Amino acid sequence: MLKELTVDQARFIAILAKAARVQRDELLGNVAEKDLDAVQPGRGEHNPTAAFGFEPVPAGAPQISALRDAIAILSAAARCELYALMRMGQGHLGAKDLGRGTSEAHRIGDETISAVLIEDADLHDHITKGLYEAGLSA
C-alpha cells in the first residue's frame, strides 16, 4: 500500500507529533475542553484548541524542530503518503483511497503539504488512525 513511506517512519513522526502536542498543551495550561466550548458537536472536530495548531509553541522548541526535521527529511513522495494517511485518520479518505489521497497531495504541492502536516496539532492521532484504517498498524 505505501510505496515511499515506511510504517516505522510514520510511527516515528506520530511519536514526535505527540511530544510536540504535550508541550503545546502544557503552554496552554491544559484547560479542560468543556471550559472552552459550550456545545460539543455531534460530528467533526471536537477539540476547540485544534485551530491553534502549534502556534503557542515557540518555533525553536525542540519538539517542534524535531517534528519539522523528521518531515523535511522524507522524500516528496513519502510526504504525500504521510499526508494521505493523515487525511485517512481525519476521516476524509477511506482505507482504499490512499492512492487518491496521494494524488491530491501531489496536486497541492510539497510546501503546502509540509505546512499542513506541521500545523496539525492532532497529527499523532490522525497518523495512528490512518495506519489503523489502512491495515498497517501492528
Side-chain angles (χ1 to χ4, degrees), residues 53-121:
F54 288 112
E55 282 182 34
V57 182
Q63 290 85 348
I64 298 297
S65 294
L67 177 60
R68 188 175 286 114
D69 292 345
I71 291 171
I73 63 171
L74 294 175
S75 68
R79 275 191 296 277
C80 288
E81 289 179 351
L82 184 64
Y83 174 83
L85 276 177
M86 178 195 71
R87 299 279 291 157
M88 238 188 255
Q90 292 171 330
H92 297 292
L93 292 173
K96 296 180 181 178
D97 295 330
L98 185 66
R100 185 171 62 104
T102 303
S103 296
E104 175 187 314
H106 284 294
R107 282 193 305 274
I108 64 172
D110 193 48
E111 194 172 303
T112 303
I113 291 167
S114 295
V116 168
L117 290 167
I118 292 293
E119 293 171 4
D120 184 2

Side-chain angles (χ1 to χ4, degrees), residues 13-87:
I13 290 172
I15 290 168
L16 293 174
K18 186 172 188 173
R21 174 64 189 259
V22 167
Q23 184 180 32
R24 172 194 173 270
D25 288 348
E26 286 175 4
L27 288 171
L28 290 175
N30 285 324
V31 177
E33 287 182 23
K34 64 182 174 142
D35 294 339
L36 293 173
D37 194 22
V39 179
Q40 195 65 253
R43 299 180 66 149
E45 189 64 54
H46 288 253
N47 181 358
T49 64
F52 297 146
F54 288 112
E55 282 182 34
V57 182
Q63 290 85 348
I64 298 297
S65 294
L67 177 60
R68 188 175 286 114
D69 292 345
I71 291 171
I73 63 171
L74 294 175
S75 68
R79 275 191 296 277
C80 288
E81 289 179 351
L82 184 64
Y83 174 83
L85 276 177
M86 178 195 71
R87 299 279 291 157

